[in-house]
């Protein structure tokens, strides 16, 4: 499952509730009873499966309901304090297996702005490796290929939203052995800019277990109790070609990170370098740094902290470095899934957001301001099946 999904949750209660019917599988001449149930041992949730285990459909969903309060020195005509309820994302998931050779995955995100087909790919499996074509996450950093339910805080970091490839359409291959694994991809992705700016992007990521040999502990960035100790080294890179007759720039990016996992904790230290080569004007560089850690003080309760630094480097303009700190506490009702989580989080940005290279998004919690300093308090209920 790990090799084909790479978003798998903790393997605590290896229980599967199956109900076998006497119904003959549709379209088949011989009786093949259908099995259905709920799989607590993976991220797949409810499933329908042929008795011979050749065909399987998994059905899942989850949402993130939030209440945010933001304090800032607002532009003229706007309130210094803003608050409100909203649904950050609501995900519907249909994935599964069409014989052991082929996996498929469809994932749609519903927001207040509308629906978006986030994931739609076909995957060919061979040994512990796979080849995937379609719309998918492309691996560059540790966060880059994580589902939103499996990140440490309530949202992907500001570093990830600024520099990540994220979701794009293309082809990607994955290879794994006992101590290392790596991804190679080719897509229309864009590292930190709009998707339609890229003609072709090449990406790759390599990970090596300097300590430990259990890959499953690295398939989220949360760090549950009961997991083995390990140290993971990661290096990723991408190069983006600009479109013909475009004034936009070519982009090269390198990332390096080290992760630590143990019984109830996981920590990451990561750095990014991005070089822009515009067709008009001189080249410039941006930099990013991320440090975060979480600790479970009970099987269900976790405290966490995160620091983001995003430097404009030598990018032209009157720009400032983005510095933010985040702290929070989360409660996981079930030890076998990350899909259910209740969080309270507080964060502070030391700089004027309008003068940084980080965009204002409701998901991140930061609002437009020309003045230094803003703070948000967030309550989030994440739940689903």
């Amino acid at each position: 499952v790990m090799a084909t999904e790479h978003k798998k949750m903790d393997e605590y209660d290896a229980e599967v509730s199956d109900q076998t019917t006497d119904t003959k599988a549709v379209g088949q001449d011989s009786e093949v009873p259908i099995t259905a149930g709920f799989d607590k041992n993976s991220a797949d949730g409810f499933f329908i499966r042929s008795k011979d285990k050749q065909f399987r459909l998994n059905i899942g969903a989850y949402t993130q309901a939030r209440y945010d309060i933001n304090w800032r020195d607002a532009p003229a005509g706007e309130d210094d304090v803003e608050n409100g309820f909203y649904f950050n994302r609501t995900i519907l998931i249909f994935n599964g297996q069409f014989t052991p050779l082929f996996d498929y995955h469809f994932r749609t995100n519903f927001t207040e702005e509308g629906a978006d087909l986030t994931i739609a790919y076909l995957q060919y499996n061979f040994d512990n490796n796979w080849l995937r074509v379609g719309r998918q996450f492309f691996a560059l950093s540790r966060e880059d290929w994580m589902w939103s339910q499996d990140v440490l805080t309530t949202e992907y970091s500001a570093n990830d939203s600024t520099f990540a490839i994220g979701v794009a359409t293309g082809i990607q291959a994955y290879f794994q052995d006992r101590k290392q694994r790596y991804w190679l991809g080719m897509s229309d992705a864009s590292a930190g800019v709009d998707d339609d700016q890229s003609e072709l992007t090449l990406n790759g990521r390599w990970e090596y277990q300097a300590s430990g040999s259990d890959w499953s502990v690295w398939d989220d960035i949360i760090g549950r109790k009961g997991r083995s100790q390990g140290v993971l080294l990661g290096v990723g890179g991408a190069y983006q070609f600009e479109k013909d007759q475009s004034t936009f720039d070519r982009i090269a990016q390198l990332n390096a990170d080290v992760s630590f996992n143990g019984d109830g904790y996981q920590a990451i230290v990561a750095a990014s370098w991005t070089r822009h080569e515009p067709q008009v004007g001189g080249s410039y560089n941006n930099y990013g740094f991320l440090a975060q850690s979480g600790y479970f003080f009970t099987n269900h309760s976790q405290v966490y902290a995160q620091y983001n630094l995003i430097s404009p480097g030598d990018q032209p303009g009157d720009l400032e470095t983005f510095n933010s700190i985040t702290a929070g506490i989360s409660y996981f009702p079930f030890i076998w899934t990350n899909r259910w989580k209740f969080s309270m989080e507080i964060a502070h940005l030391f700089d004027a957001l309008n003068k940084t290279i980080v965009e204002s998004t409701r998901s991140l919690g930061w609002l437009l301001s020309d003045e230094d300093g803003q703070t948000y308090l967030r309550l989030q209920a994440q739940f689903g099946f």
Side-chain angles (χ1 to χ4, degrees), residues 295-336:
Y295 177 73
F296 280 86
F297 56 93
T298 73
N299 285 334
H300 299 273
S301 302
Q302 179 195 48
V303 291
Y304 60 85
Q306 183 185 84
Y307 171 68
N308 284 270
L309 182 150
I310 302 168
S311 169
D314 54 357
Q315 181 172 336
D318 183 19
L319 297 171
E320 296 181 357
T321 297
F322 177 102
N323 288 274
S324 71
I325 55 172
T326 303
I329 184 169
S330 291
Y331 177 74
F332 296 79
F334 309 104
I335 62 174
W336 40 268

Side-chain angles (χ1 to χ4, degrees), residues 72-112:
R72 59 173 175 155
D73 287 329
E78 296 187 23
D79 294 333
D80 288 350
V81 180
E82 291 192 23
N83 62 85
F85 291 96
Y86 71 103
F87 284 90
N88 184 54
R89 54 173 60 88
T90 299
I91 306 289
L92 294 182
I93 307 159
F94 301 91
N95 67 348
Q97 171 185 292
F98 197 86
T99 78
L101 287 177
F102 295 99
D103 289 358
Y104 57 87
H105 195 123
F106 300 93
R107 181 175 291 236
T108 302
N109 181 27
F110 294 87
T111 66
E112 295 177 352

Side-chain angles (χ1 to χ4, degrees), residues 226-345:
R227 294 184 179 181
S228 59
Q229 290 188 341
V231 178
L232 182 72
L233 307 179
V235 178
Y239 187 82
Q240 172 188 312
F241 301 86
E242 83 277 9
K243 285 187 173 182
D244 293 338
Q245 300 178 341
S246 171
T247 58
F248 207 79
D249 48 345
R250 291 173 290 178
I251 297 176
Q253 186 176 135
L254 289 177
N255 296 284
D257 50 78
V258 56
S259 303
F260 306 89
N261 189 86
D263 183 11
Y265 70 88
Q266 188 170 132
I268 301 172
V269 178
S272 298
W273 165 74
T274 303
R275 180 171 179 81
H276 298 255
E277 298 177 348
Q279 291 190 8
V280 178
S283 300
Y284 60 89
N285 304 279
N286 301 143
Y287 306 96
F289 176 79
L290 170 70
Q292 66 176 39
S293 181
Y295 177 73
F296 280 86
F297 56 93
T298 73
N299 285 334
H300 299 273
S301 302
Q302 179 195 48
V303 291
Y304 60 85
Q306 183 185 84
Y307 171 68
N308 284 270
L309 182 150
I310 302 168
S311 169
D314 54 357
Q315 181 172 336
D318 183 19
L319 297 171
E320 296 181 357
T321 297
F322 177 102
N323 288 274
S324 71
I325 55 172
T326 303
I329 184 169
S330 291
Y331 177 74
F332 296 79
F334 309 104
I335 62 174
W336 40 268
T337 179
N338 296 336
R339 197 162 287 180
W340 286 71
K341 180 172 72 170
F342 302 95
S343 303
M344 181 174 66
E345 180 176 287

